[in-house]
Amino acid sequence: MLEKEQLDRLNELAKKKRDQKINKDELEELTKLRKEFLTNFRNSFKKQIEQTKVIDPEGNDVTPEKIKEIQEKNKHL
């Protein structure tokens, strides 16, 4: 997970890029921070989806089988 300082820096560089030109080093730093942010976001979202249970209006569990398999596998880890 990105630290608050890293997230602040990412936002600062993104705003600077929109408002004016940034130098090569800042662009490389921005690219690195974005990549790290997206990796963390994707991992977090994947974990959230893997822990989701879907219930239809009648109260039946309609969680997709693929998700159920992942949940069962994670129980045994």
Side-chain angles (χ1 to χ4, degrees):
M1 178 172 246
L2 287 178
E3 300 292 327
K4 181 177 180 348
E5 296 82 22
Q6 292 174 305
L7 191 55
D8 290 344
R9 180 67 175 156
L10 172 63
N11 290 327
E12 175 187 333
L13 289 171
K15 183 179 184 320
K16 186 175 181 181
K17 183 179 179 193
R18 281 191 307 270
D19 294 343
Q20 56 189 314
K21 290 192 174 196
I22 62 175
N23 65 40
K24 182 182 175 186
D25 291 338
E26 289 174 325
L27 184 58
E28 288 175 3
E29 182 182 3
L30 176 61
T31 302
K32 178 180 171 262
L33 288 169
R34 280 183 174 162
K35 183 177 179 180
E36 187 176 346
F37 174 82
L38 286 173
T39 298
N40 289 335
F41 176 83
R42 288 178 181 126
N43 288 338
S44 175
F45 190 72
K46 180 181 175 188
K47 286 179 184 177
Q48 184 176 352
I49 292 296
E50 289 175 352
Q51 295 175 3
T52 299
K53 186 173 188 177
V54 183
I55 306 296
D56 70 9
E58 287 84 39
N60 300 312
D61 184 356
V62 292
T63 305
E65 287 302 317
K66 185 174 181 178
I67 300 295
K68 287 181 181 180
E69 290 169 7
I70 291 169
Q71 290 170 346
E72 190 62 34
K73 178 183 163 192
N74 288 341
K75 285 181 185 178
H76 300 293
L77 291 180

